[in-house]
Amino acid sequence: SRQAGPVPLDAADELSYCHPKVSERVFRQLKRGEFSIQDEIDLHHLRAADAEALLKQFLTLARRGHHPCVRIVHGKGLRSEGAPVLKMLVDRVLRHRGDVLAFASAPQNQGGSGAVLVLLDRG
């Protein structure tokens, strides 16, 4: 039987989500890192509660400042006990926001599985 609830992520797991209104082509461009990154936040070494508050504030400001593509550096969680806490937190926060159109782990040259590229709704 499958357990309900979030599946724990591994440090090497890729994060990925695409809202139905985002085209496959746009999503592929995001995954390849072809969008210009207008802002970035580094959550490395923060406690989960602090990271969550900062992340939500960052996303709200990025959207308000018309920065449709941002990078979130969460690290790979290699020093976490068990699961990569910040990576799972970022995944959860992004999936629950109405203004996130798509996100994907960054290409290797932009942080790989230790960072995520996010496409925000400009609405």
Side-chain angles (χ1 to χ4, degrees):
S1 69
R2 278 199 65 189
Q3 292 178 329
V7 178
L9 292 165
D10 191 287
D13 285 349
E14 303 270 311
L15 298 185
S16 175
Y17 163 82
C18 187
H19 189 282
K21 71 179 177 183
V22 175
S23 76
E24 194 53 49
R25 183 181 63 81
V26 166
F27 189 49
R28 273 198 310 271
Q29 286 177 300
L30 179 69
K31 290 201 284 198
R32 288 196 299 256
E34 292 175 6
F35 285 97
S36 132
I37 306 290
Q38 277 111 7
D39 208 348
E40 175 175 296
I41 188 170
D42 189 344
L43 303 174
H44 253 112
H45 311 301
L46 290 176
R47 294 195 349 258
D50 298 336
E52 184 166 358
L54 269 172
L55 175 59
K56 289 176 175 174
Q57 181 185 22
F58 169 78
L59 291 168
T60 299
L61 291 173
R63 188 169 169 219
R64 214 178 279 156
H66 305 289
H67 295 157
C69 189
V70 297
R71 178 170 38 225
I72 300 163
V73 179
H74 47 68
K76 296 187 178 168
L78 300 176
R79 284 185 288 284
S80 299
E81 292 301 313
V85 177
L86 290 178
K87 185 174 189 171
M88 288 171 59
L89 176 133
V90 167
D91 185 68
R92 179 176 53 80
V93 168
L94 293 177
R95 284 175 192 276
H96 286 92
R97 286 185 66 102
D99 57 359
V100 172
L101 292 176
F103 62 85
S105 287
Q108 273 321 113
N109 65 339
Q110 291 186 37
S113 62
V116 65
L117 304 179
V118 184
L119 206 55
L120 293 168
D121 193 344
R122 297 188 187 117

mmCIF file of all heavy atoms in Angstrom, residues 9-14 44-45 73-80 82-88 106-108 111-115:
data_model
loop_
_atom_site.group_PDB
_atom_site.id
_atom_site.type_symbol
_atom_site.label_atom_id
_atom_site.label_comp_id
_atom_site.label_asym_id
_atom_site.label_seq_id
_atom_site.Cartn_x
_atom_site.Cartn_y
_atom_site.Cartn_z
ATOM 1 N N LEU A 9 12.324 13.423 -0.204
ATOM 2 C CA LEU A 9 13.225 13.621 -1.340
ATOM 3 C C LEU A 9 14.631 13.195 -0.973
ATOM 4 O O LEU A 9 15.025 13.258 0.187
ATOM 5 C CB LEU A 9 13.255 15.102 -1.723
ATOM 6 C CG LEU A 9 11.971 15.663 -2.321
ATOM 7 C CD1 LEU A 9 12.013 17.178 -2.299
ATOM 8 C CD2 LEU A 9 11.782 15.167 -3.731
ATOM 9 N N ASP A 10 15.363 12.822 -1.964
ATOM 10 C CA ASP A 10 16.767 12.480 -1.823
ATOM 11 C C ASP A 10 17.572 13.711 -2.235
ATOM 12 O O ASP A 10 17.097 14.541 -3.008
ATOM 13 C CB ASP A 10 17.052 11.303 -2.769
ATOM 14 C CG ASP A 10 18.405 10.706 -2.510
ATOM 15 O OD1 ASP A 10 19.391 11.368 -2.887
ATOM 16 O OD2 ASP A 10 18.473 9.604 -1.956
ATOM 17 N N ALA A 11 18.818 13.820 -1.765
ATOM 18 C CA ALA A 11 19.655 14.974 -2.102
ATOM 19 C C ALA A 11 19.810 15.147 -3.608
ATOM 20 O O ALA A 11 19.890 16.265 -4.110
ATOM 21 C CB ALA A 11 21.025 14.824 -1.446
ATOM 22 N N ALA A 12 19.831 14.055 -4.351
ATOM 23 C CA ALA A 12 20.058 14.141 -5.796
ATOM 24 C C ALA A 12 18.759 14.271 -6.594
ATOM 25 O O ALA A 12 18.796 14.498 -7.796
ATOM 26 C CB ALA A 12 20.819 12.907 -6.273
ATOM 27 N N ASP A 13 17.612 14.128 -5.930
ATOM 28 C CA ASP A 13 16.340 14.207 -6.650
ATOM 29 C C ASP A 13 16.144 15.580 -7.287
ATOM 30 O O ASP A 13 16.481 16.596 -6.704
ATOM 31 C CB ASP A 13 15.156 13.947 -5.701
ATOM 32 C CG ASP A 13 15.013 12.478 -5.344
ATOM 33 O OD1 ASP A 13 15.689 11.648 -5.980
ATOM 34 O OD2 ASP A 13 14.246 12.171 -4.418
ATOM 35 N N GLU A 14 15.562 15.547 -8.472
ATOM 36 C CA GLU A 14 15.248 16.789 -9.170
ATOM 37 C C GLU A 14 13.872 17.261 -8.713
ATOM 38 O O GLU A 14 12.958 16.453 -8.585
ATOM 39 C CB GLU A 14 15.185 16.528 -10.680
ATOM 40 C CG GLU A 14 16.447 15.931 -11.261
ATOM 41 C CD GLU A 14 17.423 16.990 -11.715
ATOM 42 O OE1 GLU A 14 17.007 17.913 -12.421
ATOM 43 O OE2 GLU A 14 18.600 16.885 -11.349
ATOM 44 N N HIS A 44 20.652 28.383 2.174
ATOM 45 C CA HIS A 44 21.674 27.536 2.800
ATOM 46 C C HIS A 44 21.862 27.865 4.276
ATOM 47 O O HIS A 44 21.914 29.038 4.623
ATOM 48 C CB HIS A 44 23.035 27.882 2.159
ATOM 49 C CG HIS A 44 23.522 26.840 1.232
ATOM 50 N ND1 HIS A 44 23.612 27.053 -0.112
ATOM 51 C CD2 HIS A 44 23.971 25.593 1.443
ATOM 52 C CE1 HIS A 44 24.095 25.982 -0.687
ATOM 53 N NE2 HIS A 44 24.312 25.074 0.220
ATOM 54 N N HIS A 45 22.024 26.888 5.087
ATOM 55 C CA HIS A 45 22.398 27.056 6.500
ATOM 56 C C HIS A 45 21.349 27.755 7.359
ATOM 57 O O HIS A 45 21.651 28.135 8.471
ATOM 58 C CB HIS A 45 23.745 27.797 6.641
ATOM 59 C CG HIS A 45 24.811 27.239 5.777
ATOM 60 N ND1 HIS A 45 25.237 25.924 5.849
ATOM 61 C CD2 HIS A 45 25.524 27.798 4.765
ATOM 62 C CE1 HIS A 45 26.169 25.722 4.941
ATOM 63 N NE2 HIS A 45 26.349 26.829 4.267
ATOM 64 N N VAL A 73 18.394 28.937 -3.963
ATOM 65 C CA VAL A 73 19.464 28.001 -3.611
ATOM 66 C C VAL A 73 19.101 27.412 -2.248
ATOM 67 O O VAL A 73 18.970 28.129 -1.268
ATOM 68 C CB VAL A 73 20.835 28.729 -3.534
ATOM 69 C CG1 VAL A 73 21.935 27.752 -3.132
ATOM 70 C CG2 VAL A 73 21.163 29.393 -4.871
ATOM 71 N N HIS A 74 18.879 26.089 -2.235
ATOM 72 C CA HIS A 74 18.495 25.432 -0.980
ATOM 73 C C HIS A 74 19.565 24.458 -0.518
ATOM 74 O O HIS A 74 19.499 23.928 0.571
ATOM 75 C CB HIS A 74 17.155 24.698 -1.132
ATOM 76 C CG HIS A 74 17.063 23.855 -2.364
ATOM 77 N ND1 HIS A 74 17.811 22.722 -2.551
ATOM 78 C CD2 HIS A 74 16.323 24.023 -3.491
ATOM 79 C CE1 HIS A 74 17.516 22.210 -3.739
ATOM 80 N NE2 HIS A 74 16.628 22.985 -4.335
ATOM 81 N N GLY A 75 20.579 24.228 -1.351
ATOM 82 C CA GLY A 75 21.608 23.252 -0.997
ATOM 83 C C GLY A 75 21.079 21.847 -1.239
ATOM 84 O O GLY A 75 19.905 21.649 -1.534
ATOM 85 N N LYS A 76 21.955 20.888 -1.122
ATOM 86 C CA LYS A 76 21.559 19.506 -1.400
ATOM 87 C C LYS A 76 21.151 18.756 -0.147
ATOM 88 O O LYS A 76 20.710 17.624 -0.203
ATOM 89 C CB LYS A 76 22.702 18.772 -2.104
ATOM 90 C CG LYS A 76 22.965 19.399 -3.461
ATOM 91 C CD LYS A 76 23.965 18.638 -4.273
ATOM 92 C CE LYS A 76 24.111 19.322 -5.625
ATOM 93 N NZ LYS A 76 25.218 18.855 -6.400
ATOM 94 N N GLY A 77 21.289 19.401 1.001
ATOM 95 C CA GLY A 77 20.863 18.757 2.236
ATOM 96 C C GLY A 77 21.784 17.634 2.666
ATOM 97 O O GLY A 77 21.369 16.723 3.375
ATOM 98 N N LEU A 78 23.023 17.689 2.233
ATOM 99 C CA LEU A 78 23.948 16.604 2.554
ATOM 100 C C LEU A 78 24.290 16.561 4.040
ATOM 101 O O LEU A 78 24.667 15.524 4.562
ATOM 102 C CB LEU A 78 25.221 16.728 1.711
ATOM 103 C CG LEU A 78 24.986 16.678 0.199
ATOM 104 C CD1 LEU A 78 26.281 16.900 -0.553
ATOM 105 C CD2 LEU A 78 24.352 15.356 -0.215
ATOM 106 N N ARG A 79 24.141 17.707 4.719
ATOM 107 C CA ARG A 79 24.453 17.730 6.151
ATOM 108 C C ARG A 79 23.214 17.505 7.014
ATOM 109 O O ARG A 79 23.292 17.486 8.223
ATOM 110 C CB ARG A 79 25.119 19.059 6.526
ATOM 111 C CG ARG A 79 26.573 19.103 6.071
ATOM 112 C CD ARG A 79 27.285 20.353 6.537
ATOM 113 N NE ARG A 79 26.851 21.546 5.826
ATOM 114 C CZ ARG A 79 27.225 21.850 4.595
ATOM 115 N NH1 ARG A 79 28.032 21.066 3.942
ATOM 116 N NH2 ARG A 79 26.798 22.949 4.016
ATOM 117 N N SER A 80 22.046 17.372 6.368
ATOM 118 C CA SER A 80 20.818 17.138 7.132
ATOM 119 C C SER A 80 20.795 15.703 7.636
ATOM 120 O O SER A 80 21.362 14.815 7.012
ATOM 121 C CB SER A 80 19.590 17.334 6.234
ATOM 122 O OG SER A 80 19.545 18.633 5.737
ATOM 123 N N GLY A 82 19.113 12.501 7.632
ATOM 124 C CA GLY A 82 18.087 11.849 6.821
ATOM 125 C C GLY A 82 17.770 12.608 5.552
ATOM 126 O O GLY A 82 18.559 12.660 4.631
ATOM 127 N N ALA A 83 16.619 13.253 5.519
ATOM 128 C CA ALA A 83 16.145 13.922 4.304
ATOM 129 C C ALA A 83 16.658 15.358 4.211
ATOM 130 O O ALA A 83 16.941 15.988 5.222
ATOM 131 C CB ALA A 83 14.632 13.912 4.288
ATOM 132 N N PRO A 84 16.773 15.885 2.988
ATOM 133 C CA PRO A 84 17.182 17.287 2.798
ATOM 134 C C PRO A 84 16.044 18.240 3.164
ATOM 135 O O PRO A 84 15.146 18.494 2.373
ATOM 136 C CB PRO A 84 17.524 17.361 1.306
ATOM 137 C CG PRO A 84 16.761 16.245 0.676
ATOM 138 C CD PRO A 84 16.581 15.178 1.724
ATOM 139 N N VAL A 85 16.077 18.745 4.379
ATOM 140 C CA VAL A 85 14.982 19.530 4.955
ATOM 141 C C VAL A 85 14.616 20.756 4.120
ATOM 142 O O VAL A 85 13.445 20.967 3.796
ATOM 143 C CB VAL A 85 15.358 19.967 6.397
ATOM 144 C CG1 VAL A 85 14.273 20.846 6.998
ATOM 145 C CG2 VAL A 85 15.586 18.740 7.269
ATOM 146 N N LEU A 86 15.611 21.591 3.776
ATOM 147 C CA LEU A 86 15.302 22.826 3.047
ATOM 148 C C LEU A 86 14.759 22.543 1.654
ATOM 149 O O LEU A 86 13.862 23.233 1.172
ATOM 150 C CB LEU A 86 16.540 23.727 2.954
ATOM 151 C CG LEU A 86 16.980 24.375 4.261
ATOM 152 C CD1 LEU A 86 18.234 25.207 4.050
ATOM 153 C CD2 LEU A 86 15.871 25.236 4.862
ATOM 154 N N LYS A 87 15.308 21.526 1.007
ATOM 155 C CA LYS A 87 14.852 21.173 -0.327
ATOM 156 C C LYS A 87 13.373 20.754 -0.291
ATOM 157 O O LYS A 87 12.572 21.173 -1.125
ATOM 158 C CB LYS A 87 15.713 20.035 -0.862
ATOM 159 C CG LYS A 87 15.419 19.642 -2.280
ATOM 160 C CD LYS A 87 16.438 18.617 -2.694
ATOM 161 C CE LYS A 87 16.354 18.323 -4.157
ATOM 162 N NZ LYS A 87 17.469 17.503 -4.584
ATOM 163 N N MET A 88 13.013 19.953 0.710
ATOM 164 C CA MET A 88 11.626 19.520 0.845
ATOM 165 C C MET A 88 10.721 20.698 1.196
ATOM 166 O O MET A 88 9.604 20.804 0.700
ATOM 167 C CB MET A 88 11.520 18.415 1.900
ATOM 168 C CG MET A 88 12.115 17.105 1.399
ATOM 169 S SD MET A 88 12.260 15.826 2.667
ATOM 170 C CE MET A 88 10.580 15.626 3.193
ATOM 171 N N ALA A 106 17.759 23.337 -11.032
ATOM 172 C CA ALA A 106 18.614 24.084 -11.955
ATOM 173 C C ALA A 106 19.532 23.148 -12.745
ATOM 174 O O ALA A 106 19.885 22.077 -12.258
ATOM 175 C CB ALA A 106 19.451 25.086 -11.160
ATOM 176 N N PRO A 107 19.928 23.568 -13.954
ATOM 177 C CA PRO A 107 20.951 22.791 -14.669
ATOM 178 C C PRO A 107 22.258 22.793 -13.867
ATOM 179 O O PRO A 107 22.453 23.650 -13.007
ATOM 180 C CB PRO A 107 21.127 23.534 -15.990
ATOM 181 C CG PRO A 107 20.227 24.706 -15.975
ATOM 182 C CD PRO A 107 19.497 24.756 -14.676
ATOM 183 N N GLN A 108 23.138 21.841 -14.144
ATOM 184 C CA GLN A 108 24.393 21.704 -13.391
ATOM 185 C C GLN A 108 25.149 23.016 -13.246
ATOM 186 O O GLN A 108 25.636 23.336 -12.184
ATOM 187 C CB GLN A 108 25.304 20.656 -14.045
ATOM 188 C CG GLN A 108 25.057 19.232 -13.594
ATOM 189 C CD GLN A 108 24.737 19.075 -12.106
ATOM 190 O OE1 GLN A 108 23.630 18.700 -11.737
ATOM 191 N NE2 GLN A 108 25.677 19.365 -11.226
ATOM 192 N N GLY A 111 23.697 25.372 -10.408
ATOM 193 C CA GLY A 111 23.451 24.885 -9.051
ATOM 194 C C GLY A 111 22.923 23.465 -8.971
ATOM 195 O O GLY A 111 22.835 22.900 -7.891
ATOM 196 N N GLY A 112 22.537 22.893 -10.109
ATOM 197 C CA GLY A 112 22.082 21.504 -10.129
ATOM 198 C C GLY A 112 20.976 21.232 -9.131
ATOM 199 O O GLY A 112 20.096 22.060 -8.916
ATOM 200 N N SER A 113 21.019 20.061 -8.493
ATOM 201 C CA SER A 113 19.945 19.669 -7.577
ATOM 202 C C SER A 113 20.014 20.421 -6.243
ATOM 203 O O SER A 113 19.216 20.173 -5.349
ATOM 204 C CB SER A 113 19.957 18.154 -7.349
ATOM 205 O OG SER A 113 21.174 17.756 -6.758
ATOM 206 N N GLY A 114 20.952 21.368 -6.122
ATOM 207 C CA GLY A 114 21.036 22.206 -4.920
ATOM 208 C C GLY A 114 20.339 23.548 -5.093
ATOM 209 O O GLY A 114 20.373 24.397 -4.216
ATOM 210 N N ALA A 115 19.689 23.748 -6.262
ATOM 211 C CA ALA A 115 18.993 25.007 -6.530
ATOM 212 C C ALA A 115 17.782 24.723 -7.408
ATOM 213 O O ALA A 115 17.723 23.711 -8.101
ATOM 214 C CB ALA A 115 19.928 26.001 -7.222
#
